[in-house]
Amino acid sequence: MWDRILDRMLRDLFVIGAVEITYPDGTTRRYGEEGAEPVRVTMTDPSLPRKLVLNTEIALGEAYMDGRLSVAQDDVEGLLALAVQNSNRKQKVLWREIGQTARRARRRFDQWNPAYKARQNVAHHYDLSGELYDLFLDADRQYSCAYFADPEMSLEAAQEAKKHHIAGKLLLEPGMEVFEIGCGWGGMALTLARDYGVKVLGVTLSEEQHKIATERAAAAGLSDRVRFELRDYRSVTGQFDRIVSIGMFEHVGVPHYREYFETVHDRLKDDGVALIHTIGRSTPPGATSPWITKYIFPGGYVPALSEMAAAVEKAGLYPTDIEVWRLHYAETLRHWFDRFVANEDKARALYDERFCRMWRYYLKACEVTFRHHGQCVFQYQMTRRQEAVPLTRDYLYPADRPRRMAAE
């Protein structure tokens, strides 16, 4: 029975491209366009058709992790891209509508992140072995979208470009005080202190990140200008000249958006500038993949611009610049995936084969969403007064910048 239901679901879904499925009983069926080269998938678990019918995204990811589902040449990217391209079609499919409605209905519950729960969610992902992140991140451990001003840039160069692009939007002056919400392993704060002469308070809920960031500040001789604290951003008091947050807003949760931006407003001086860098969606508000919620980012959610804008308005902040990065994160993830695969034996020694398959699936699934499913990055600059930033964006692109970057 479950084979027949799954067969009907796949016939409804696949119109673009083709997929060839070998079922647990050995039967092979083809779905999609005639003549198209198919992505070939093999299922070995007799219970998998039932699980795919009842909870497709969880079942697909778990089956790949466990090895109960395999893709020829391990072409996970091809399979996921095909599934996403077909799911993007405007034609409504009943079983997909039911699943999406259920996910949207429970998203406020999934994203309820008071301080104690936020700490648990952060630990789930960021307190993994520090050695794991060394296997695929750049040396500065930038775990957010790089900025490929030149498509041929290395990952290291693109991450440096990202940091300095953000610094430009902050309009920094020596001696300013900066509050970083979600400091990661400290790379941005150390760059701002070293290259721009400011003082930085960075906060994180990850014990591993706090430990490494503090050690890095000491090793760089910047402990007098950079302070990292293990605390929730909502508990910080005082006011700052600048606020920056990179790759943290995805963990806030929709129920806390107004609280987040009210905190930004209250911590910002009257003439201050804030820059929020976050993954976003070009589509209307939605819900997080249940597989991502369970295995990668519990409590996480990628916002629509309309959701951010509504919260910014209610907090009394003035939007002074919004920049959208489209394929930069897809390229970043491609670099991360290639580096992870090249070091997979080391990752397997840290964890196990199932973890490595999970991580490959995670990195490729995320890349596919940026290439084919409307995800992007928002850089949202905001102030308490509209006069706090220059009238035009020319300050970001000084005339000597191409020559200076070429010389570097």
Side-chain angles (χ1 to χ4, degrees):
M1 178 186 79
W2 294 107
D3 285 17
R4 290 197 302 274
I5 297 174
L6 180 60
D7 175 70
R8 182 51 192 253
M9 289 171 60
L10 296 176
R11 291 191 187 284
D12 288 342
L13 176 62
F14 289 104
V15 173
I16 303 167
V19 62
E20 188 178 277
I21 307 287
T22 299
Y23 284 76
D25 64 2
T27 302
T28 298
R29 296 170 187 165
R30 179 190 171 96
Y31 307 92
E33 295 177 271
E34 291 292 334
E37 182 64 25
V39 176
R40 292 179 170 85
V41 178
T42 300
M43 298 186 290
T44 57
D45 176 8
S47 70
L48 187 53
R50 172 179 60 82
K51 293 175 180 177
L52 286 167
V53 168
L54 296 177
N55 198 338
T56 306
E57 289 190 47
I58 287 279
L60 178 63
E62 290 182 340
Y64 178 78
M65 289 163 58
D66 296 337
R68 295 178 287 113
L69 178 146
S70 60
V71 188
Q73 285 78 53
D74 200 36
D75 187 17
V76 175
E77 179 177 3
L79 175 62
L80 294 176
L82 193 60
V84 166
Q85 288 170 315
N86 278 279
S87 68
N88 285 342
R89 291 184 299 119
K90 297 300 182 183
Q91 181 180 351
K92 291 188 177 181
V93 179
L94 179 60
W95 61 269
R96 285 175 47 215
E97 292 291 314
I98 293 172
Q100 290 169 359
T101 300
R103 282 164 53 183
R104 284 194 293 268
R106 60 170 289 132
R107 73 175 194 154
R108 293 190 72 85
F109 172 79
D110 290 337
Q111 295 166 36
W112 179 247
N113 291 325
Y116 78 91
K117 189 177 179 185
R119 190 173 296 109
Q120 294 171 354
N121 292 341
V122 164
H124 178 92
H125 191 84
Y126 295 100
D127 284 343
L128 295 171
S129 170
E131 295 176 59
L132 170 68
Y133 293 99
D134 288 334
L135 300 182
F136 67 96
L137 298 181
D138 63 302
D140 197 44
R141 283 200 180 187
Q142 289 295 305
Y143 196 22
S144 59
C145 181
Y147 185 50
F148 290 88
D150 179 341
E152 300 305 315
M153 292 174 82
S154 68
L155 178 64
E156 281 73 16
Q159 291 291 12
E160 279 295 308
K162 181 265 301 289
K163 290 186 292 180
H164 292 294
H165 190 68
I166 291 172
K169 292 185 178 184
L170 289 172
L171 295 152
L172 299 166
E173 295 178 9
M176 281 185 169
E177 295 184 336
V178 179
F179 175 29
E180 184 178 14
I181 302 176
C183 63
W185 290 277
M188 186 66 187
L190 296 175
T191 297
L192 296 183
R194 182 188 64 238
D195 296 349
Y196 297 90
V198 298
K199 296 181 178 180
V200 186
L201 167 63
V203 298
T204 178
L205 293 175
S206 165
E207 294 184 7
E208 182 74 8
Q209 288 184 336
H210 177 257
K211 174 177 175 291
I212 292 173
T214 301
E215 291 172 351
R216 291 182 67 189
L222 292 171
S223 297
D224 59 329
R225 282 187 277 164
V226 181
R227 187 170 84 255
F228 297 109
E229 295 185 0
L230 187 64
R231 65 191 299 187
D232 189 278
Y233 72 95
R234 290 165 284 198
S235 70
V236 173
T237 58
Q239 289 189 311
F240 300 83
D241 300 291
R242 302 290 186 261
I243 294 177
V244 64
S245 184
I246 304 170
M248 181 272 180
F249 189 71
E250 302 92 323
H251 302 284
V252 170
V254 174
H256 304 277
Y257 281 5
R258 185 164 182 179
E259 179 182 28
Y260 176 91
F261 286 113
E262 285 178 348
T263 299
V264 171
H265 175 276
D266 293 347
R267 300 285 75 79
L268 203 59
K269 291 181 179 179
D270 284 343
D271 59 351
V273 178
L275 191 285
I276 312 301
H277 170 116
T278 178
I279 299 172
R281 64 179 73 218
S282 62
T283 56
T288 304
S289 158
W291 186 86
I292 290 288
T293 297
K294 181 175 181 179
Y295 288 100
I296 308 298
F297 294 120
Y301 173 70
V302 171
L305 188 58
S306 56
E307 294 173 295
M308 291 185 70
V312 169
E313 293 166 2
K314 292 172 183 174
L317 290 162
Y318 198 101
T320 47
D321 190 88
I322 301 172
E323 184 176 5
V324 181
W325 294 3
R326 289 161 288 121
L327 290 170
H328 293 270
Y329 218 148
E331 291 303 307
T332 304
L333 285 153
R334 178 178 60 84
H335 279 277
W336 289 349
F337 180 86
D338 290 345
R339 290 181 177 211
F340 180 79
V341 170
N343 290 292
E344 195 163 338
D345 287 344
K346 296 177 182 177
R348 195 173 291 109
L350 290 171
Y351 293 98
D352 56 25
E353 176 64 23
R354 187 173 190 264
F355 180 91
C356 290
R357 292 176 70 87
M358 176 185 77
W359 212 256
R360 293 203 309 269
Y361 189 86
Y362 150 56
L363 293 174
K364 272 303 170 189
C366 290
E367 181 182 345
V368 164
T369 62
F370 283 96
R371 294 199 188 277
H372 305 290
H373 203 39
Q375 284 201 350
C376 55
V377 169
F378 300 137
Q379 284 198 341
Y380 205 138
Q381 185 195 62
M382 59 196 72
T383 64
R384 291 177 62 158
R385 293 191 307 109
Q386 60 175 318
E387 300 88 357
V389 298
L391 192 58
T392 73
R393 289 176 118 204
D394 291 352
Y395 70 93
L396 283 174
Y397 307 104
D400 68 331
R401 186 174 184 183
R403 292 194 297 273
R404 188 174 69 250
M405 290 187 72
E408 293 172 353

